[in-house]
Amino acid sequence: MGLRFLRNGLLGLYLQRHHQHIMQVDTGFTFILFGGTGDLAMRKILPSLYQAHCGGLLPTAGRIAAVARGLSNREAYVQWMHTHVRNHVKLAGDDASWNDFLKRILFVRVDLGRPEDYALLRDIISPLSGIRVFYLATRPSLFVPICRALSTMGLSNDARIVLEKPLGYDLQSSNTINDAVGEIFVESHIYRIDHYLGKEPVQNLLALRFGNALFEPLWRREWVESIQITIAEELGVEGRGDFYDNTGALRDMVQNHLLQLLSIVAMEPPHSMHTNALRDEKLRVLRALKPIKPCDISRIAVRGQYHMGVLNGITVPAYVNERGVSTSSMTETFVALKVEIENWRWAGVPFFLRTGKRLANRVAEIVVNFRAVPHSVFGSMALRNGSNRLVIRLQPNEFIRLYCLAKQPGEGMNLQSVHLDLAFDEFFQKDRMEAYQRLLLDVINGRLALFVHRDEQEAAWQWVEPILAEWNRLGTAPRRYAAGTWGPAAASALLARHGTCWLEEEN
């Protein structure tokens, strides 16, 4: 059943003010990619820049300078791109488009630990015109040395810098990085990237709430019973065991992605779509998160670690048997939390956050469960599960789906749960922009709205740190769950205590 009343104007407010459609700047740019042969560059950054190139969204004078130390020259780097990058392009285009894109590519061999190597980088990029963007797709420990070397070489003046997560290991290390980067780059030139903020359904959530009169009056404690936010992955640590074993799901996913999604779901209407207006409202939500007391953590926080199981018909190893992971590791690969927001709009409404690796399906979604009608003239049928619910699917197949009750055809008044769909693939025929492509274009065009302000990051760390501290103090092992399941049984019990369940458990 088509969601007719949402289709007219659902995207209007946001798309008109934010994209129109990614206005192309007239001046050139130089995009300097540190970690130019890394996994992120291969899978996301370079394919996204190529898609923007094919769409005519990059200024013709723009150049891309890849920085790495593992290859000898530009020819070797171009060959590396042929072998590794083109396979990750969603729409490969023709050879002419690919070869035209390669003309933008420069390569600089730099050992990031040798300050003198930055002189070569300076000599290559200094003559290039336009704005300068430095993208640090490296481990966080290199952020400060890179920034200081850029400053020493005079390359940081009026430049923009993009910082990948994780930005630090805790609040103190995060502040150390932010302080050092802030001494060289002004805050308005620092782009802390969270790719979930670039996803189309996340931005459609803004349009849904603030561009339509239907939902905003219901978006509050009087009408909302609970909200679930899930980011589930089928993948394991994918060869990053040495990194992940020192990070864990709470730092890797909750402190950034999940809390950012929470802040967008729960924020007050901003006075405009201006960068500071959006960020200010998200920050208010993060500062209103109810602090978690150590004595409550075992009751409202579940941590788990996957062991051997069957996923899509294939037996996968336990986390502790992954390459780079300690066999005695107590790092969590799963987290479920009950979160509360202490303000008038959301007081008393539980937000359930969940993320994990090696789960049954790859899915990211927001589920808004509305309260049941106060008095049902149809009896208990009108109170059944599956109705009065809004599901916003972020991946893999993006949609917005409203569940409600309708009468079944035939004799009698028998009700059935039905849904009204806005399926983006069906309604919007044009290709949608991938999250990284949108965010990279925003950096080039100087738009900060979809990036994280330092204050947001600090507020998130301040809320997360007591959980980390208590887990470390207790020293108890995470609950085990079989790969290919939805996590520990305790995660289901967490919701059951509040009279609800995870979305997939209803079926």
Side-chain angles (χ1 to χ4, degrees):
M1 189 182 298
L3 191 48
R4 305 289 185 186
F5 56 85
L6 283 179
R7 287 179 171 176
N8 295 326
L10 175 62
L11 299 177
L13 178 69
Y14 189 79
L15 294 181
Q16 286 176 11
R17 297 188 180 181
H18 183 68
H19 290 300
Q20 292 181 344
H21 179 277
I22 303 292
M23 295 180 61
Q24 181 172 321
V25 294
D26 294 325
T27 59
F29 70 92
T30 307
F31 187 95
I32 302 97
L33 176 57
F34 286 87
T37 56
D39 188 71
L40 185 63
M42 175 180 69
R43 294 176 181 272
K44 295 295 183 182
I45 300 173
L46 291 169
S48 295
L49 289 170
Y50 173 61
Q51 295 293 163
H53 167 84
C54 291
L57 302 175
L58 295 180
T60 54
R63 306 299 295 275
I64 300 164
V67 177
R69 68 175 183 176
L71 299 174
S72 57
N73 53 38
R74 181 185 181 277
E75 288 70 27
Y77 188 74
V78 168
Q79 184 57 50
W80 177 85
M81 290 183 64
H82 279 303
T83 304
H84 295 90
V85 176
R86 200 169 184 185
N87 293 334
H88 294 285
V89 175
K90 183 178 179 182
L91 298 174
D94 53 28
D95 289 341
S97 297
W98 177 253
N99 291 331
D100 192 47
F101 175 68
L102 292 178
K103 294 176 183 177
R104 296 180 181 271
I105 301 297
L106 305 170
F107 177 75
V108 190
R109 187 179 183 183
V110 174
D111 183 339
L112 300 180
R114 289 168 50 88
E116 57 269 27
D117 280 11
Y118 288 84
L120 178 60
L121 176 64
R122 178 195 59 201
D123 294 342
I124 290 176
I125 68 174
S126 290
L128 301 177
S129 62
I131 62 103
R132 192 174 291 156
V133 174
F134 295 102
Y135 196 115
L136 305 193
T138 66
R139 61 181 185 271
S141 61
L142 293 173
F143 289 178
V144 173
I146 291 173
C147 289
R148 287 175 176 165
L150 294 176
S151 178
T152 300
M153 292 295 165
L155 296 174
S156 59
N157 298 333
D158 295 323
R160 298 166 189 166
I161 189 161
V162 185
L163 304 178
E164 266 287 348
K165 78 168 188 71
L167 200 64
Y169 183 79
D170 52 20
L171 179 60
Q172 181 178 349
S173 59
S174 175
N175 283 339
T176 298
I177 294 174
N178 277 316
D179 288 342
V181 175
E183 292 175 0
I184 299 165
F185 296 89
V186 296
E187 179 64 29
S188 60
H189 286 182
I190 301 175
Y191 293 73
R192 300 173 189 85
I193 194 167
D194 186 325
H195 73 274
Y196 272 84
L197 299 183
K199 289 181 177 292
E200 199 77 61
V202 175
Q203 296 167 67
N204 266 319
L205 177 58
L206 297 173
L208 185 74
R209 287 189 58 192
F210 307 135
N212 300 278
L214 178 64
F215 286 108
E216 182 56 26
L218 306 178
W219 215 262
R220 58 189 67 249
R221 61 185 176 85
E222 291 87 353
W223 304 107
V224 175
E225 186 174 76
S226 66
I227 294 178
Q228 302 173 16
I229 306 177
T230 293
I231 301 177
E233 299 177 281
E234 290 182 336
L235 297 175
V237 295
E238 298 302 296
R240 300 187 309 145
D242 52 349
F243 159 76
Y244 196 87
D245 208 36
N246 291 300
T247 304
L250 191 68
R251 291 184 178 93
D252 189 45
M253 298 296 290
V254 176
Q255 186 272 335
N256 39 73
H257 297 327
L258 280 167
L259 289 186
Q260 281 293 314
L261 291 178
L262 170 66
S263 66
I264 289 178
V265 170
M267 65 189 282
E268 294 295 321
H271 67 80
S272 72
M273 296 302 293
H274 187 271
T275 294
N276 290 335
L278 281 171
R279 287 169 147 191
D280 288 348
E281 295 304 336
K282 287 197 298 171
L283 179 60
R284 288 188 179 96
V285 173
L286 294 171
R287 287 177 171 170
L289 292 176
K290 183 178 180 180
I292 295 182
K293 299 177 181 178
C295 60
D296 292 331
I297 286 175
S298 60
R299 182 175 55 84
I300 62 176
V302 177
R303 63 196 296 253
Q305 184 187 96
Y306 67 83
H307 60 89
M308 186 176 66
V310 178
L311 185 59
N312 297 326
I314 300 173
T315 300
V316 297
Y319 173 74
V320 293
N321 298 129
E322 299 274 16
R323 182 164 56 89
V325 175
S326 169
T327 55
S328 59
S329 174
M330 295 206 306
T331 298
E332 77 282 354
T333 62
F334 176 96
V335 174
L337 297 165
K338 177 202 167 200
V339 179
E340 294 184 57
I341 300 173
E342 295 184 312
N343 62 22
W344 277 43
R345 180 183 288 267
W346 296 114
V349 176
F351 288 73
F352 298 104
L353 310 184
R354 175 178 60 164
T355 186
K357 290 188 175 294
R358 293 294 191 201
L359 297 183
N361 283 312
R362 171 180 174 263
V363 63
E365 63 188 7
I366 299 164
V367 180
V368 181
N369 292 309
F370 294 101
R371 296 189 185 278
V373 294
H375 171 70
S376 173
V377 299
F378 304 107
S380 61
M381 285 189 300
L383 303 177
R384 68 172 64 187
N385 290 334
S387 60
N388 293 304
R389 168 180 296 146
L390 182 70
V391 177
I392 302 161
R393 175 69 61 82
L394 309 180
Q395 64 185 28
N397 50 328
E398 303 170 355
F399 61 73
I400 295 175
R401 182 171 292 170
L402 178 66
Y403 289 84
C404 54
L405 291 174
K407 178 189 175 297
Q408 294 180 8
E411 185 180 3
M413 184 58 73
N414 297 313
L415 303 187
Q416 179 177 335
S417 179
V418 298
H419 55 264
L420 309 174
D421 273 339
L422 175 60
F424 297 106
D425 285 337
E426 296 177 10
F427 187 75
F428 299 106
Q429 298 299 316
K430 65 188 301 184
D431 293 327
R432 295 191 311 283
M433 204 174 278
E434 296 291 336
Y436 266 97
Q437 182 182 344
R438 173 179 293 105
L439 294 173
L440 293 177
L441 288 169
D442 277 3
V443 176
I444 293 170
N445 289 305
R447 291 188 286 256
L448 276 160
L450 300 181
F451 295 85
V452 180
H453 193 276
R454 174 176 179 168
D455 290 346
E456 295 177 65
Q457 202 169 61
E458 289 185 1
W461 273 121
Q462 287 169 353
W463 187 81
V464 162
E465 276 207 326
I467 305 174
L468 290 168
E470 182 64 9
W471 283 349
N472 289 335
R473 188 190 70 80
L474 293 173
T476 54
R479 299 173 186 267
R480 288 171 36 127
Y481 64 95
T485 67
W486 282 103
S492 298
L494 176 67
L495 272 69
R497 288 195 292 271
H498 296 274
T500 187
C501 63
W502 298 105
L503 181 62
E504 76 280 350
E505 293 176 335
E506 291 189 356
N507 301 319

